Amino acid sequence: MTSAASDPTFHRLLATHPNLHYDNKQGLMMDGTALAPLAEHYGTPSWVISADTLRQRAHNMQAAFKERGLSMGYHFAVKAQDHQACLSVLAQCGFGADVVSGGELKRALTAGMKARHIVFSGIGKTDDELTYAIQQNIGQINIESIEELTRINHLAETLQQRVRVAFRVNPDIDAQTHSKITTGRAEDKFGIAYNLIPALYRRTQQEMKGVELVGLAVHLGSQMLAEAPFRKGYERIAELVKTLRADGLSVTDIDCGGGLGIAYRGEDAPPPALWAKVIAETLGGLDVHLHIEPGRWLAAPAGVLLARVINVKEAARRFVIIDAGMNDLVRPAMYDSWHGILPLHAPPTDTLEERVDVVGPICESSDIFARQRTLPPLKKGDLIALLDAGAYGTVMSSTYNSRPFAAQIMISNGQEAVIRKRQTLDELLAQDVVPSWLARP
C-alpha cells in the first residue's frame, strides 16, 4: 500500500464512482439505495452488490465492441464473483461463463447460463471435472498442457463424445500488473509455450478423435491498466493463426481472455472501448469467432463491503479498528491492494481530515485495509463502506479466527434482498465432526 500523498480525495472518489452519491439526510447512496439503513438492519460486516451497476456495466462493455463492428462471445469470469444472483443478472444480459472448476461450472449452469456459452479454463482440471464438462456438452475447454490434452482426448473417446477445445497459449508477455496476478510469462504456470503450438496443433487435428480443436486462447493477467500488453499479446496470437493456416490447419475461434483493470485509486484505467479497439486492430480481420472473459471490470464497482468502527486506538499511529477483517476482504493483505473508504454519513464540509490506519480484528499484522489514509474523523460506532469490493471479495472470504461469513445483500431499482444470510456461530461450528471414539473432556 502506497503513501497517502497520492490518494484520491473524498470528492474525487465520489466523482469516479457514478453509482455513489451522498444524500443530505440518508447519507451514502448506491444506485438510489441508502447504505446506512442496510448496515443497521442487516448488521456488519455485510456485502452489498448492485444489480443495476452490474447490468449497466455489462451493457456498456457490449456496446464498446458493437461500435467496433465486432460480434463477440461474452463469458463472465466466475472466479471474480460467483453468486448465482449475479450470474443470473449477467445471463439475462447475454453473458455466458468462464469457469475454472467443476463447482463454478455447476454454479453457472444452475444460474441459467447455457452450457454452449460456457468455457472451462484452469490448469488443474480433474478427470471428474472434465467428465462432467464433457457430459454437459459445454461450449469449449481451454487446454493448458500437453498432458491435459491427452487426458481429455482419452476421456472423450471413452464417453464416445467429441469435445470442442482450444489451446491456451503462453505468449511470454509481461502484463505489467502485480506479479501475483500475471499469467502470460514463460515462468507462469498457465498455458502451453508459444513455440510448441504449431506441431501440437497439427498432431491434434490429424490424430486425436476425441477433441475438436477449434482455435487458440490467451489470458495475460488481471487488473491490466496498459494497452501495450494487450496489443503485444494479441499480435503474437495473430501471427500464430497465420502460421497455422499457412500449414493448412483450421483456426475458427480465438478466446481473448480478460484482465481489463479498473481505477481503484484513480488510476488511468483503459475503458472497454480501448480493449475493443486493440482486438479489432489485431484480430478483427482474421475471420474468426472472438470471445472475451471479463470479470473484475464488470463486478468490482458493483459491490461494497459495509463495516462498523469497533474502536479507535491511539498509539504510535491512530488505528481505526473495524469489524470487517482480512477473512472478509483479503485483497489488501494478499496483494497490497488499495480500496477506497467512505463514511456512510457525509461529514460536514468544514471537517478537518486526519491520517489513520484502518485495520481489522484478525490476529495478523497483515490485516490492514489502509495505511495512513486521509479520512474524516471516525469514532466508535461509525459506519463505513469499502469500495470496489464486488470482485474477488466474497469469493475469497474465509472463516479465519472463527468469524462467520458475512451477509450478502443485492439491491436493484429500490429493492433489496438478502442473497446469502449471515452465517451464525452455531452454523459454523456445526461443520465440525468430532469422532465418536474421541472422548470429550
Side-chain angles (χ1 to χ4, degrees):
M1 284 173 253
T2 48
S3 68
S6 55
D7 290 344
T9 64
F10 180 85
H11 298 291
R12 177 63 180 163
L13 269 180
L14 286 176
T16 55
H17 292 74
N19 59 342
L20 299 176
H21 78 278
Y22 277 102
D23 178 86
N24 289 335
K25 294 183 178 179
Q26 299 185 80
L28 188 63
M29 310 283 288
M30 186 176 191
D31 286 330
T33 295
L35 295 177
L38 296 182
E40 297 289 0
H41 182 71
Y42 297 109
T44 54
S46 286
W47 303 92
V48 179
I49 192 153
S50 170
D52 297 338
T53 295
L54 193 59
R55 192 177 294 114
Q56 185 60 58
R57 293 181 75 83
H59 291 326
N60 290 349
M61 178 160 282
Q62 290 167 324
F65 285 89
K66 186 176 180 180
E67 287 173 7
R68 282 281 166 180
L70 296 172
S71 177
M72 306 293 296
Y74 298 94
H75 306 277
F76 174 67
V78 176
K79 61 181 176 289
Q81 169 56 260
D82 67 5
H83 198 287
Q84 289 180 61
C86 298
L87 300 182
S88 295
V89 169
L90 291 167
Q92 293 165 8
C93 295
F95 276 71
D98 165 53
V99 303
V100 295
S101 73
E104 288 188 354
L105 173 54
K106 179 71 172 179
R107 279 185 177 274
L109 291 170
T110 305
M113 290 177 164
K114 303 298 183 184
R116 65 181 181 273
H117 296 154
I118 296 176
V119 173
F120 194 172
S121 305
I123 70 159
K125 310 178 194 76
T126 66
D127 286 356
D128 286 345
E129 289 174 320
L130 289 170
T131 297
Y132 179 48
I134 295 168
Q135 290 172 333
Q136 295 300 315
N137 195 27
I138 69 168
Q140 181 173 298
I141 299 177
N142 288 341
I143 303 295
E144 301 258 3
S145 68
I146 298 171
E147 296 81 4
E148 183 179 79
L149 172 64
T150 302
R151 284 196 298 123
I152 194 171
N153 183 65
H154 173 72
L155 288 168
E157 287 185 335
T158 301
L159 293 167
Q160 297 184 325
Q161 290 184 236
R162 198 159 186 251
V163 59
R164 283 170 54 93
V165 302
F167 286 164
R168 178 172 176 176
V169 182
N170 185 317
D172 195 17
I173 299 292
D174 187 346
Q176 299 177 23
T177 185
H178 195 289
S179 62
K180 292 184 179 180
I181 52 176
T182 189
T183 59
R185 301 169 303 186
E187 63 266 30
D188 294 324
K189 66 182 181 179
F190 301 96
I192 301 170
Y194 187 91
N195 64 315
L196 298 180
I197 295 293
L200 184 62
Y201 205 100
R202 169 171 285 281
R203 182 164 69 88
T204 301
Q205 284 198 339
Q206 292 181 346
E207 300 176 12
M208 295 194 174
K209 307 303 181 185
V211 299
E212 178 189 357
L213 178 55
V214 298
L216 306 171
V218 65
H219 179 71
L220 301 172
S222 188
Q223 183 56 10
M224 293 168 60
L225 299 174
E227 174 185 346
F230 281 118
R231 184 173 293 278
K232 189 174 181 181
Y234 296 150
E235 285 174 347
R236 295 214 76 191
I237 296 299
E239 292 169 3
L240 191 51
V241 171
K242 293 171 184 175
T243 297
L244 295 171
R245 285 178 171 172
D247 197 24
L249 301 171
S250 172
V251 183
T252 62
D253 288 69
I254 297 177
D255 182 345
C256 303
L260 192 66
I262 67 164
Y264 285 100
R265 199 182 183 195
E267 301 93 332
D268 186 15
L274 184 142
W275 194 20
K277 174 178 179 289
V278 173
I279 290 177
E281 291 175 352
T282 55
L283 303 172
L286 293 177
D287 188 26
V288 291
H289 302 296
L290 294 168
H291 311 262
I292 55 172
E293 301 168 356
R296 180 195 313 273
W297 192 91
L298 294 169
V304 297
L305 176 59
L306 306 183
R308 187 182 294 274
V309 176
I310 298 173
N311 198 13
V312 178
K313 177 181 176 179
E314 298 289 354
R317 295 186 178 203
R318 184 175 176 85
F319 294 99
V320 174
I321 306 165
I322 62 175
D323 59 3
M326 62 184 283
N327 66 300
D328 299 300
L329 181 61
V330 74
R331 294 188 71 253
M334 182 177 288
Y335 302 129
D336 292 327
S337 302
W338 195 98
H339 284 267
I341 297 174
L342 291 176
L344 296 197
H345 294 289
T349 55
D350 59 349
T351 298
L352 293 177
E353 296 180 330
E354 56 189 16
R355 286 194 177 186
V356 297
D357 285 9
V358 180
V359 302
I362 302 299
C363 287
E364 298 284 350
S365 297
S366 56
D367 186 28
I368 300 176
F369 293 107
R371 296 181 189 274
Q372 292 299 281
R373 184 75 60 87
T374 302
L375 292 171
L378 293 169
K379 64 183 185 302
K380 181 179 184 296
D382 284 351
L383 295 166
I384 64 169
L386 286 87
L387 309 186
D388 299 311
Y392 305 102
T394 57
V395 291
M396 299 178 80
S397 295
S398 75
T399 57
Y400 185 45
N401 281 187
S402 288
R403 295 184 179 274
F405 287 119
Q408 296 181 42
I409 301 118
M410 177 171 276
I411 58 174
S412 180
N413 195 29
Q415 303 176 93
E416 65 188 65
V418 175
I419 58 174
R420 187 169 295 159
K421 69 184 184 68
R422 184 180 307 281
Q423 187 182 36
T424 67
L425 276 172
D426 285 341
E427 289 168 340
L428 176 60
L429 292 175
Q431 302 299 310
D432 294 357
V433 176
V434 179
S436 60
W437 43 261
L438 183 63
R440 288 182 179 273

